[in-house]
Coordinates of all heavy atoms in Angstrom, one line a residue:
M1 N -7.6 -1.8 -21.5 CA -6.3 -2.0 -22.0 C -5.9 -3.5 -22.1 O -6.2 -4.2 -21.2 CB -5.3 -1.3 -21.1 CG -3.9 -1.0 -21.7 SD -2.8 -0.2 -20.5 CE -2.0 -1.5 -19.7
D2 N -5.4 -3.8 -23.2 CA -5.0 -5.2 -23.4 C -3.8 -5.6 -22.5 O -2.9 -4.7 -22.3 CB -4.6 -5.5 -24.9 CG -5.8 -5.5 -25.8 OD1 -6.9 -5.6 -25.2 OD2 -5.6 -5.3 -27.0
T3 N -3.8 -6.8 -22.0 CA -2.7 -7.2 -21.2 C -1.5 -7.5 -22.2 O -1.7 -8.2 -23.2 CB -3.0 -8.5 -20.5 OG1 -4.2 -8.2 -19.7 CG2 -1.9 -9.0 -19.6
E4 N -0.3 -7.0 -21.8 CA 0.8 -7.3 -22.6 C 1.2 -8.8 -22.4 O 1.0 -9.3 -21.3 CB 2.0 -6.5 -22.2 CG 1.9 -5.0 -22.4 CD 3.1 -4.3 -21.8 OE1 3.4 -4.5 -20.6 OE2 3.8 -3.6 -22.6
S5 N 1.7 -9.4 -23.4 CA 2.2 -10.8 -23.3 C 3.6 -11.0 -23.9 O 3.8 -10.4 -25.0 CB 1.2 -11.8 -23.9 OG 0.0 -11.8 -23.2
A6 N 4.4 -11.8 -23.3 CA 5.6 -12.2 -23.9 C 5.4 -13.3 -24.9 O 4.3 -14.0 -24.8 CB 6.6 -12.7 -22.8
T7 N 6.3 -13.6 -25.7 CA 6.3 -14.7 -26.6 C 6.9 -15.9 -25.9 O 7.9 -15.7 -25.2 CB 7.1 -14.4 -27.9 OG1 6.6 -13.3 -28.5 CG2 7.0 -15.6 -28.9
V8 N 6.3 -17.1 -26.0 CA 6.8 -18.2 -25.3 C 6.4 -19.4 -26.1 O 5.4 -19.4 -26.8 CB 6.2 -18.3 -23.8 CG1 4.7 -18.5 -23.8 CG2 6.9 -19.4 -23.0
S9 N 7.2 -20.4 -26.1 CA 6.8 -21.7 -26.8 C 6.9 -22.9 -25.9 O 7.8 -22.9 -25.0 CB 7.7 -21.8 -28.0 OG 9.1 -22.0 -27.6
G10 N 6.1 -23.8 -26.2 CA 6.1 -25.1 -25.5 C 5.8 -25.0 -24.0 O 6.4 -25.9 -23.2
H11 N 5.1 -24.0 -23.5 CA 4.7 -23.9 -22.1 C 6.0 -23.8 -21.2 O 6.0 -24.3 -20.1 CB 3.9 -25.1 -21.6 CG 2.5 -25.2 -22.4 ND1 1.4 -25.2 -21.7 CD2 2.2 -25.2 -23.7 CE1 0.3 -25.3 -22.6 NE2 0.8 -25.3 -23.7
D12 N 7.1 -23.3 -21.8 CA 8.4 -23.4 -21.1 C 8.9 -21.9 -20.8 O 9.2 -21.2 -21.7 CB 9.4 -24.1 -22.0 CG 10.8 -24.2 -21.4 OD1 11.0 -23.6 -20.3 OD2 11.6 -24.9 -22.0
V13 N 9.0 -21.6 -19.5 CA 9.3 -20.2 -19.1 C 10.7 -19.8 -19.6 O 11.0 -18.6 -19.8 CB 9.2 -20.0 -17.6 CG1 7.7 -20.1 -17.2 CG2 10.1 -20.8 -16.8
T14 N 11.5 -20.8 -19.9 CA 12.9 -20.5 -20.3 C 12.9 -20.0 -21.7 O 14.0 -19.6 -22.2 CB 13.9 -21.6 -20.1 OG1 13.5 -22.7 -21.0 CG2 13.9 -22.1 -18.7
T15 N 11.8 -20.2 -22.5 CA 11.8 -19.7 -23.9 C 11.1 -18.4 -24.0 O 10.9 -17.9 -25.1 CB 11.0 -20.7 -24.7 OG1 9.6 -20.6 -24.3 CG2 11.4 -22.2 -24.6
I16 N 10.8 -17.7 -22.8 CA 10.1 -16.4 -22.9 C 11.0 -15.4 -23.6 O 12.2 -15.3 -23.4 CB 9.8 -15.9 -21.5 CG1 8.6 -16.6 -20.9 CG2 9.6 -14.4 -21.5 CD1 8.3 -16.3 -19.5
T17 N 10.4 -14.7 -24.6 CA 11.0 -13.5 -25.1 C 10.1 -12.3 -24.5 O 8.9 -12.2 -24.9 CB 10.9 -13.4 -26.6 OG1 11.7 -14.5 -27.2 CG2 11.5 -12.1 -27.1
C18 N 10.7 -11.6 -23.6 CA 10.0 -10.5 -22.9 C 9.4 -9.5 -23.9 O 9.9 -9.4 -25.0 CB 10.9 -9.9 -21.9 SG 10.1 -8.7 -20.9
V19 N 8.4 -8.8 -23.5 CA 7.8 -7.7 -24.3 C 8.9 -6.7 -24.7 O 8.9 -6.2 -25.8 CB 6.7 -7.0 -23.4 CG1 6.3 -5.7 -24.2 CG2 5.6 -7.9 -23.1
C20 N 10.0 -6.6 -23.9 CA 11.0 -5.6 -24.1 C 12.1 -6.2 -25.0 O 13.0 -5.6 -25.5 CB 11.7 -5.2 -22.9 SG 12.8 -6.4 -22.1
G21 N 12.0 -7.5 -25.4 CA 12.9 -8.2 -26.3 C 14.0 -9.0 -25.6 O 14.7 -9.7 -26.3
N22 N 14.0 -9.0 -24.3 CA 15.0 -9.7 -23.5 C 14.7 -11.2 -23.5 O 13.5 -11.6 -23.5 CB 15.1 -9.2 -22.1 CG 16.1 -10.0 -21.3 OD1 17.2 -10.4 -21.8 ND2 15.8 -10.2 -20.0
T23 N 15.8 -12.1 -23.5 CA 15.6 -13.5 -23.4 C 16.6 -14.0 -22.4 O 17.5 -13.3 -22.0 CB 15.9 -14.2 -24.8 OG1 17.2 -14.0 -25.1 CG2 14.9 -13.7 -25.9
V24 N 16.5 -15.3 -22.2 CA 17.5 -16.0 -21.3 C 18.9 -15.8 -21.8 O 19.8 -15.6 -21.1 CB 17.1 -17.5 -21.2 CG1 18.3 -18.3 -20.6 CG2 15.9 -17.7 -20.3
A25 N 19.0 -15.9 -23.2 CA 20.3 -15.8 -23.8 C 20.8 -14.4 -23.9 O 22.1 -14.2 -24.1 CB 20.2 -16.4 -25.2
R26 N 20.0 -13.5 -23.8 CA 20.5 -12.1 -23.9 C 20.9 -11.5 -22.5 O 22.0 -11.7 -22.1 CB 19.4 -11.2 -24.5 CG 20.0 -10.0 -25.2 CD 19.0 -9.1 -25.9 NE 18.4 -8.1 -25.0 CZ 17.5 -7.2 -25.3 NH1 17.1 -7.1 -26.6 NH2 17.0 -6.4 -24.4
D27 N 19.9 -10.9 -21.8 CA 20.2 -10.4 -20.4 C 19.9 -11.4 -19.3 O 20.1 -11.2 -18.2 CB 19.5 -9.1 -20.2 CG 20.1 -8.0 -21.1 OD1 21.2 -8.1 -21.5 OD2 19.3 -7.1 -21.4
G28 N 19.2 -12.5 -19.7 CA 18.8 -13.5 -18.8 C 17.5 -13.2 -18.1 O 16.9 -12.1 -18.2
L29 N 16.9 -14.2 -17.6 CA 15.6 -14.1 -16.9 C 15.8 -14.8 -15.5 O 16.6 -15.7 -15.4 CB 14.5 -14.9 -17.6 CG 14.2 -14.3 -19.0 CD1 13.3 -15.3 -19.8 CD2 13.5 -13.0 -18.9
I30 N 15.2 -14.2 -14.5 CA 15.5 -14.6 -13.1 C 14.3 -15.2 -12.4 O 13.2 -14.6 -12.4 CB 16.1 -13.4 -12.3 CG1 17.3 -12.8 -13.0 CG2 16.3 -13.7 -10.8 CD1 17.8 -11.6 -12.3
P31 N 14.4 -16.4 -11.8 CA 13.3 -16.8 -11.0 C 13.0 -15.9 -9.8 O 13.9 -15.5 -9.1 CB 13.7 -18.3 -10.5 CG 15.2 -18.3 -10.8 CD 15.5 -17.2 -11.7
A32 N 11.7 -15.6 -9.6 CA 11.4 -14.6 -8.5 C 10.2 -15.2 -7.7 O 9.5 -16.1 -8.2 CB 11.1 -13.3 -9.1
N33 N 9.9 -14.5 -6.6 CA 8.7 -14.9 -5.8 C 7.5 -14.0 -6.2 O 7.7 -13.2 -7.2 CB 9.0 -14.9 -4.3 CG 9.3 -13.5 -3.8 OD1 9.1 -12.5 -4.5 ND2 9.7 -13.4 -2.5
S34 N 6.4 -14.1 -5.5 CA 5.3 -13.4 -5.9 C 5.4 -11.9 -5.6 O 4.5 -11.1 -6.0 CB 4.0 -14.0 -5.1 OG 4.3 -13.9 -3.7
D35 N 6.5 -11.4 -5.0 CA 6.7 -10.0 -4.9 C 7.7 -9.5 -5.9 O 8.1 -8.4 -6.0 CB 7.3 -9.7 -3.5 CG 6.3 -10.0 -2.4 OD1 5.1 -9.7 -2.6 OD2 6.8 -10.5 -1.3
G36 N 8.2 -10.5 -6.8 CA 9.1 -10.1 -7.8 C 10.6 -10.1 -7.3 O 11.5 -9.6 -8.0
V37 N 10.8 -10.6 -6.1 CA 12.1 -10.6 -5.5 C 12.8 -11.9 -6.0 O 12.3 -13.0 -5.9 CB 12.1 -10.6 -4.0 CG1 13.5 -10.7 -3.4 CG2 11.4 -9.4 -3.5
P38 N 14.1 -11.7 -6.6 CA 14.8 -13.0 -7.0 C 15.0 -13.9 -5.9 O 15.3 -13.6 -4.8 CB 16.1 -12.3 -7.5 CG 15.8 -11.0 -8.0 CD 14.7 -10.5 -7.0
I39 N 14.8 -15.2 -6.3 CA 14.9 -16.3 -5.2 C 16.2 -17.1 -5.5 O 16.8 -17.1 -6.5 CB 13.7 -17.2 -5.2 CG1 13.5 -17.8 -6.6 CG2 12.5 -16.5 -4.7 CD1 12.3 -18.7 -6.7
H40 N 16.7 -17.6 -4.3 CA 18.0 -18.3 -4.3 C 17.7 -19.7 -4.0 O 17.0 -20.0 -2.9 CB 18.9 -17.7 -3.3 CG 20.2 -18.3 -3.1 ND1 21.3 -18.0 -4.0 CD2 20.6 -19.3 -2.3 CE1 22.3 -18.8 -3.7 NE2 22.0 -19.6 -2.7
A41 N 18.0 -20.6 -4.9 CA 17.8 -22.0 -4.6 C 18.9 -22.6 -3.8 O 20.1 -22.5 -4.1 CB 17.8 -22.8 -6.0
G42 N 18.6 -23.1 -2.6 CA 19.6 -23.6 -1.7 C 19.4 -23.1 -0.3 O 18.6 -22.2 -0.1
P43 N 20.1 -23.7 0.6 CA 19.9 -23.4 2.0 C 20.4 -22.1 2.5 O 19.8 -21.4 3.4 CB 20.5 -24.6 2.7 CG 21.6 -25.1 1.8 CD 21.1 -24.7 0.4
D44 N 21.5 -21.6 2.0 CA 22.1 -20.4 2.5 C 21.7 -19.3 1.6 O 22.4 -18.9 0.6 CB 23.6 -20.6 2.5 CG 24.1 -21.7 3.4 OD1 23.5 -21.8 4.5 OD2 24.9 -22.5 3.0
V45 N 20.6 -18.6 1.9 CA 20.1 -17.5 1.1 C 20.8 -16.2 1.5 O 20.7 -15.8 2.7 CB 18.5 -17.4 1.3 CG1 18.0 -16.2 0.5 CG2 17.8 -18.7 1.0
P46 N 21.5 -15.6 0.5 CA 22.1 -14.4 0.8 C 21.1 -13.3 1.2 O 20.0 -13.3 0.8 CB 22.8 -14.0 -0.5 CG 22.8 -15.2 -1.3 CD 21.7 -16.0 -0.8
A47 N 21.5 -12.4 2.2 CA 20.7 -11.3 2.5 C 20.3 -10.5 1.3 O 21.1 -10.2 0.5 CB 21.4 -10.4 3.6
G48 N 19.0 -10.2 1.2 CA 18.5 -9.4 0.1 C 17.8 -10.2 -1.0 O 17.0 -9.7 -1.7
L49 N 18.1 -11.5 -1.0 CA 17.4 -12.5 -1.9 C 16.3 -13.2 -1.2 O 16.4 -13.3 0.1 CB 18.4 -13.5 -2.5 CG 19.5 -12.9 -3.5 CD1 20.3 -14.1 -4.0 CD2 18.8 -12.1 -4.6
A50 N 15.3 -13.7 -1.8 CA 14.3 -14.4 -1.2 C 14.6 -15.9 -1.2 O 15.3 -16.4 -2.1 CB 13.0 -14.2 -2.0
S51 N 14.1 -16.6 -0.3 CA 14.2 -18.1 -0.3 C 13.2 -18.7 -1.2 O 12.2 -18.0 -1.6 CB 14.0 -18.7 1.2 OG 12.8 -18.2 1.7
W52 N 13.3 -19.9 -1.5 CA 12.4 -20.7 -2.4 C 11.0 -20.6 -1.7 O 10.9 -21.0 -0.6 CB 12.9 -22.1 -2.6 CG 12.4 -22.6 -3.9 CD1 11.3 -23.4 -4.1 CD2 13.0 -22.5 -5.2 NE1 11.1 -23.8 -5.4 CE2 12.1 -23.2 -6.1 CE3 14.1 -21.8 -5.7 CZ2 12.4 -23.3 -7.5 CZ3 14.3 -21.8 -7.1 CH2 13.5 -22.6 -7.9
P53 N 10.0 -20.2 -2.5 CA 8.7 -20.1 -1.8 C 8.1 -21.4 -1.4 O 8.2 -22.4 -2.2 CB 7.8 -19.4 -2.9 CG 8.6 -19.5 -4.2 CD 10.0 -19.8 -3.9
D54 N 7.6 -21.4 -0.2 CA 7.0 -22.7 0.4 C 5.9 -23.2 -0.5 O 5.7 -24.4 -0.6 CB 6.5 -22.4 1.8 CG 7.7 -22.2 2.7 OD1 8.8 -22.6 2.5 OD2 7.4 -21.5 3.8
D55 N 5.1 -22.3 -1.1 CA 4.0 -22.7 -1.9 C 4.3 -23.1 -3.3 O 3.5 -23.5 -4.1 CB 2.9 -21.6 -1.9 CG 3.4 -20.3 -2.4 OD1 4.5 -20.2 -3.0 OD2 2.6 -19.3 -2.4
G56 N 5.6 -22.9 -3.6 CA 6.1 -23.3 -5.0 C 5.6 -22.4 -6.1 O 5.8 -22.7 -7.3
E57 N 5.0 -21.2 -5.7 CA 4.6 -20.3 -6.7 C 5.7 -19.5 -7.3 O 6.2 -18.6 -6.6 CB 3.5 -19.3 -6.2 CG 2.1 -19.9 -6.3 CD 1.6 -20.1 -7.7 OE1 1.8 -19.2 -8.6 OE2 1.1 -21.2 -8.0
L58 N 6.1 -19.8 -8.5 CA 7.3 -19.2 -9.0 C 6.9 -18.2 -10.1 O 5.9 -18.4 -10.8 CB 8.3 -20.2 -9.6 CG 8.8 -21.2 -8.6 CD1 9.8 -22.1 -9.4 CD2 9.5 -20.6 -7.5
F59 N 7.7 -17.1 -10.2 CA 7.5 -16.1 -11.2 C 8.8 -16.0 -12.0 O 9.9 -16.4 -11.5 CB 7.0 -14.8 -10.6 CG 5.7 -14.9 -10.1 CD1 5.4 -15.5 -8.8 CD2 4.6 -14.5 -10.8 CE1 4.1 -15.6 -8.3 CE2 3.3 -14.6 -10.3 CZ 3.1 -15.2 -9.0
T60 N 8.8 -15.4 -13.2 CA 10.0 -15.1 -13.9 C 10.1 -13.7 -14.1 O 9.2 -13.0 -14.7 CB 9.9 -15.9 -15.3 OG1 10.0 -17.3 -15.0 CG2 11.1 -15.6 -16.1
L61 N 11.2 -13.2 -13.7 CA 11.5 -11.7 -13.7 C 12.4 -11.3 -14.8 O 13.5 -12.0 -15.0 CB 12.1 -11.2 -12.3 CG 12.8 -9.9 -12.3 CD1 11.7 -8.8 -12.5 CD2 13.6 -9.7 -11.0
C62 N 12.0 -10.3 -15.6 CA 12.9 -9.8 -16.6 C 13.7 -8.7 -16.0 O 13.1 -7.7 -15.6 CB 12.1 -9.3 -17.8 SG 13.2 -8.4 -19.0
P63 N 15.0 -8.9 -15.9 CA 15.8 -7.8 -15.2 C 16.0 -6.6 -16.0 O 16.5 -5.6 -15.5 CB 17.1 -8.6 -14.9 CG 17.3 -9.6 -15.9 CD 15.8 -10.0 -16.2
S64 N 15.7 -6.7 -17.3 CA 15.9 -5.5 -18.1 C 14.8 -4.5 -18.0 O 15.1 -3.3 -18.0 CB 15.9 -5.9 -19.6 OG 17.0 -6.8 -19.8
C65 N 13.6 -4.9 -17.8 CA 12.4 -4.0 -17.8 C 11.6 -4.1 -16.5 O 10.7 -3.3 -16.3 CB 11.6 -4.1 -19.0 SG 10.7 -5.7 -19.1
G66 N 11.7 -5.2 -15.8 CA 10.9 -5.4 -14.6 C 9.6 -6.1 -14.8 O 8.8 -6.1 -13.8
R67 N 9.3 -6.5 -16.0 CA 8.1 -7.3 -16.2 C 8.2 -8.7 -15.5 O 9.3 -9.2 -15.6 CB 7.7 -7.4 -17.7 CG 7.2 -6.1 -18.3 CD 6.9 -6.4 -19.7 NE 6.3 -5.1 -20.4 CZ 7.1 -4.2 -20.9 NH1 8.3 -4.2 -20.9 NH2 6.5 -3.1 -21.5
V68 N 7.1 -9.1 -14.9 CA 7.2 -10.4 -14.2 C 6.1 -11.3 -14.8 O 5.0 -10.8 -15.0 CB 7.0 -10.2 -12.7 CG1 7.1 -11.6 -12.0 CG2 8.0 -9.2 -12.1
Y69 N 6.4 -12.6 -15.0 CA 5.5 -13.5 -15.6 C 5.3 -14.7 -14.6 O 6.2 -15.1 -13.9 CB 6.1 -14.1 -16.9 CG 6.4 -13.0 -17.9 CD1 7.6 -12.5 -18.0 CD2 5.4 -12.5 -18.7 CE1 7.9 -11.4 -18.9 CE2 5.7 -11.5 -19.6 CZ 6.9 -11.0 -19.7 OH 7.2 -10.0 -20.6
S70 N 4.1 -15.2 -14.5 CA 3.7 -16.3 -13.7 C 4.1 -17.6 -14.3 O 3.6 -18.0 -15.4 CB 2.2 -16.3 -13.3 OG 1.8 -17.6 -12.8
D71 N 5.0 -18.4 -13.7 CA 5.4 -19.6 -14.2 C 4.2 -20.6 -14.4 O 4.1 -21.3 -15.4 CB 6.4 -20.3 -13.4 CG 7.8 -19.7 -13.5 OD1 7.9 -18.5 -13.9 OD2 8.8 -20.3 -13.1
S72 N 3.3 -20.6 -13.4 CA 2.2 -21.5 -13.5 C 1.2 -21.2 -14.6 O 0.7 -22.1 -15.3 CB 1.5 -21.6 -12.2 OG 0.9 -20.3 -11.8
V73 N 1.1 -19.9 -14.9 CA 0.2 -19.5 -16.1 C 0.9 -20.0 -17.4 O 0.2 -20.6 -18.2 CB 0.0 -18.0 -16.1 CG1 -0.7 -17.6 -17.4 CG2 -0.9 -17.6 -14.9
V74 N 2.2 -19.8 -17.5 CA 2.9 -20.2 -18.7 C 2.8 -21.7 -18.9 O 2.5 -22.2 -19.9 CB 4.4 -19.8 -18.6 CG1 5.1 -20.4 -19.8 CG2 4.5 -18.3 -18.6
E75 N 3.0 -22.5 -17.8 CA 3.0 -23.9 -17.9 C 1.6 -24.5 -18.1 O 1.4 -25.4 -18.9 CB 3.5 -24.5 -16.5 CG 5.1 -24.4 -16.5 CD 5.6 -24.4 -15.1 OE1 4.9 -24.8 -14.2 OE2 6.8 -24.0 -14.9
E76 N 0.5 -23.7 -17.6 CA -0.8 -24.3 -17.8 C -1.4 -23.8 -19.2 O -2.1 -24.6 -19.8 CB -1.8 -23.8 -16.8 CG -1.5 -24.6 -15.4 CD -2.2 -23.9 -14.2 OE1 -3.1 -23.1 -14.4 OE2 -1.7 -24.1 -13.1
T77 N -1.1 -22.6 -19.6 CA -1.8 -22.1 -20.8 C -0.9 -22.0 -22.0 O -1.4 -21.8 -23.2 CB -2.3 -20.7 -20.5 OG1 -1.3 -19.8 -20.3 CG2 -3.2 -20.7 -19.2
G78 N 0.4 -22.0 -21.8 CA 1.3 -21.7 -22.9 C 1.4 -20.3 -23.3 O 2.0 -20.0 -24.4
K79 N 0.8 -19.4 -22.6 CA 0.8 -18.0 -22.8 C 1.6 -17.3 -21.7 O 1.6 -17.8 -20.6 CB -0.6 -17.4 -23.0 CG -1.4 -17.9 -24.2 CD -2.7 -17.2 -24.3 CE -3.3 -17.6 -25.6 NZ -3.7 -19.0 -25.7
A80 N 2.1 -16.1 -22.0 CA 2.8 -15.4 -20.9 C 2.4 -14.0 -20.8 O 3.1 -13.0 -21.1 CB 4.3 -15.5 -21.2
P81 N 1.2 -13.8 -20.2 CA 0.8 -12.4 -19.9 C 1.6 -11.8 -18.8 O 2.1 -12.5 -17.9 CB -0.7 -12.5 -19.5 CG -0.8 -13.9 -18.9 CD 0.2 -14.8 -19.8
V82 N 1.8 -10.5 -18.9 CA 2.6 -9.8 -17.8 C 1.7 -9.9 -16.6 O 0.6 -9.4 -16.5 CB 2.9 -8.4 -18.2 CG1 3.6 -7.7 -17.0 CG2 3.7 -8.3 -19.5
A83 N 2.3 -10.5 -15.5 CA 1.6 -10.6 -14.2 C 1.6 -9.2 -13.5 O 0.6 -8.8 -12.9 CB 2.2 -11.7 -13.3
F84 N 2.8 -8.7 -13.4 CA 3.0 -7.4 -12.7 C 4.3 -6.8 -13.1 O 5.1 -7.6 -13.8 CB 2.7 -7.4 -11.2 CG 3.7 -8.4 -10.5 CD1 4.9 -8.0 -9.9 CD2 3.4 -9.7 -10.3 CE1 5.7 -8.8 -9.3 CE2 4.2 -10.6 -9.7 CZ 5.4 -10.1 -9.1
R85 N 4.6 -5.7 -12.7 CA 5.9 -5.0 -13.0 C 6.5 -4.5 -11.7 O 5.9 -4.2 -10.8 CB 5.8 -3.8 -13.9 CG 5.4 -4.3 -15.3 CD 5.4 -3.1 -16.3 NE 6.8 -2.7 -16.6 CZ 7.1 -2.0 -17.7 NH1 6.2 -1.6 -18.5 NH2 8.4 -1.7 -17.9
V86 N 7.9 -4.6 -11.7 CA 8.6 -4.1 -10.5 C 9.6 -3.1 -11.0 O 10.0 -3.0 -12.1 CB 9.3 -5.3 -9.7 CG1 8.2 -6.3 -9.2 CG2 10.3 -6.0 -10.6
N87 N 10.2 -2.4 -10.0 CA 11.2 -1.4 -10.3 C 12.6 -2.0 -10.3 O 13.0 -2.5 -9.3 CB 11.1 -0.3 -9.2 CG 12.1 0.8 -9.5 OD1 13.0 0.8 -10.4 ND2 12.0 1.9 -8.7
V88 N 13.2 -2.1 -11.5 CA 14.5 -2.7 -11.5 C 15.6 -1.6 -11.6 O 16.8 -2.0 -11.9 CB 14.6 -3.7 -12.7 CG1 13.8 -4.9 -12.5 CG2 14.3 -3.0 -14.0
E89 N 15.2 -0.4 -11.5 CA 16.2 0.7 -11.6 C 16.8 1.0 -10.2 O 18.0 1.4 -10.1 CB 15.6 2.0 -12.1 CG 14.9 1.9 -13.5 CD 15.9 1.6 -14.6 OE1 17.0 2.1 -14.5 OE2 15.6 0.8 -15.5
S90 N 16.0 0.9 -9.2 CA 16.5 1.2 -7.8 C 15.6 0.5 -6.8 O 14.6 0.0 -7.2 CB 16.5 2.7 -7.6 OG 15.1 3.2 -7.7
G91 N 16.2 0.4 -5.6 CA 15.4 -0.3 -4.5 C 15.8 -1.7 -4.3 O 16.7 -2.2 -4.9
R92 N 14.9 -2.4 -3.5 CA 15.3 -3.7 -3.1 C 15.5 -4.7 -4.2 O 16.4 -5.5 -4.2 CB 14.1 -4.2 -2.1 CG 14.4 -5.6 -1.6 CD 13.3 -6.2 -0.8 NE 13.7 -7.5 -0.4 CZ 12.9 -8.4 0.0 NH1 11.6 -8.1 0.3 NH2 13.3 -9.6 0.3
I93 N 14.6 -4.7 -5.2 CA 14.7 -5.7 -6.2 C 15.8 -5.4 -7.2 O 16.6 -6.3 -7.6 CB 13.3 -5.7 -7.0 CG1 12.3 -6.3 -6.1 CG2 13.5 -6.6 -8.3 CD1 10.8 -6.3 -6.6
A94 N 16.2 -4.1 -7.4 CA 17.3 -3.8 -8.2 C 18.6 -4.3 -7.5 O 19.5 -4.9 -8.2 CB 17.4 -2.3 -8.4
E95 N 18.7 -4.2 -6.2 CA 19.8 -4.7 -5.5 C 19.8 -6.2 -5.5 O 20.9 -6.8 -5.6 CB 19.8 -4.1 -4.0 CG 20.1 -2.7 -3.9 CD 19.7 -2.1 -2.6 OE1 19.5 -2.8 -1.6 OE2 19.6 -0.8 -2.5
A96 N 18.7 -6.8 -5.4 CA 18.6 -8.3 -5.4 C 19.0 -8.8 -6.7 O 19.7 -9.9 -6.8 CB 17.2 -8.7 -5.0
I97 N 18.8 -8.1 -7.8 CA 19.2 -8.6 -9.1 C 20.7 -8.6 -9.2 O 21.3 -9.5 -9.7 CB 18.6 -7.7 -10.2 CG1 17.1 -8.0 -10.3 CG2 19.3 -8.0 -11.6 CD1 16.3 -7.0 -11.2
Q98 N 21.4 -7.5 -8.7 CA 22.8 -7.5 -8.7 C 23.3 -8.7 -7.8 O 24.3 -9.4 -8.2 CB 23.3 -6.2 -8.0 CG 23.0 -5.0 -8.9 CD 23.4 -5.1 -10.3 OE1 24.6 -5.5 -10.6 NE2 22.6 -4.8 -11.3
L99 N 22.7 -8.9 -6.7 CA 23.1 -10.1 -5.8 C 23.0 -11.4 -6.6 O 23.8 -12.3 -6.5 CB 22.3 -10.1 -4.6 CG 22.6 -9.2 -3.4 CD1 21.5 -9.1 -2.4 CD2 23.9 -9.7 -2.8
H100 N 21.9 -11.5 -7.3 CA 21.6 -12.7 -8.0 C 22.7 -13.1 -9.0 O 23.2 -14.2 -9.1 CB 20.3 -12.6 -8.8 CG 20.1 -13.8 -9.8 ND1 19.5 -15.0 -9.4 CD2 20.3 -13.9 -11.1 CE1 19.4 -15.7 -10.4 NE2 19.9 -15.1 -11.5
W101 N 23.2 -12.1 -9.7 CA 24.3 -12.3 -10.6 C 25.7 -12.5 -10.0 O 26.5 -13.1 -10.6 CB 24.4 -11.1 -11.7 CG 23.2 -10.9 -12.5 CD1 22.5 -9.7 -12.6 CD2 22.5 -11.9 -13.3 NE1 21.4 -9.9 -13.5 CE2 21.4 -11.2 -13.9 CE3 22.7 -13.2 -13.6 CZ2 20.5 -11.9 -14.8 CZ3 21.8 -13.9 -14.5 CH2 20.7 -13.2 -15.0
T102 N 25.9 -12.0 -8.8 CA 27.2 -12.1 -8.2 C 27.3 -13.1 -7.1 O 28.4 -13.4 -6.7 CB 27.5 -10.7 -7.6 OG1 26.5 -10.3 -6.7 CG2 27.7 -9.7 -8.7
S103 N 26.2 -13.7 -6.7 CA 26.3 -14.7 -5.6 C 26.1 -16.1 -6.1 O 25.7 -16.3 -7.3 CB 25.3 -14.4 -4.5 OG 24.0 -14.5 -5.0
Ligands
LIG201 ZN1 11.7 -7.3 -20.3

């Protein structure tokens, strides 16, 4: 099976057009950790969100479909293969997405 890839330009994760059609300008894209949990930049991390990863490995989560892209892959290759998928309908990550938009 071929790996799905998002459209991206200029090695820039903020230009990703997700496989599902979502973009930063549409439903938004969320920085996440290697588990796909949205991360909070700053010292006071709300419960349910992840802190900024110590290793700096960032991922970009599409909150519409749950596809997750590796920022380092995008920056190094200019391509955006889907790294993995998470459940954005229910569960921890779905709740964290709500927190991300409201905190
Ligand atoms: Zn998507």
Side-chain angles (χ1 to χ4, degrees):
M1 199 179 91
D2 290 341
T3 304
E4 295 178 305
S5 290
T7 304
V8 64
S9 63
H11 298 236
D12 180 354
V13 295
T14 66
T15 69
I16 283 175
T17 300
C18 185
V19 174
C20 75
N22 181 34
T23 64
V24 166
R26 206 179 85 174
D27 295 332
L29 298 166
I30 301 175
N33 68 10
S34 57
D35 295 321
V37 179
I39 53 182
H40 181 82
D44 299 316
V45 179
L49 294 183
S51 57
W52 204 263
D54 292 335
D55 59 8
E57 269 302 311
L58 299 182
F59 291 79
T60 294
L61 166 67
C62 172
S64 299
C65 68
R67 288 180 176 85
V68 182
Y69 304 93
S70 164
D71 286 19
S72 59
V73 168
V74 172
E75 284 158 12
E76 284 167 23
T77 68
K79 294 185 171 66
V82 176
F84 58 94
R85 290 187 73 160
V86 297
N87 183 352
V88 292
E89 302 296 325
S90 62
R92 181 187 176 191
I93 291 171
E95 289 166 15
I97 289 168
Q98 294 305 316
L99 278 167
H100 171 81
W101 297 127
T102 56
S103 62

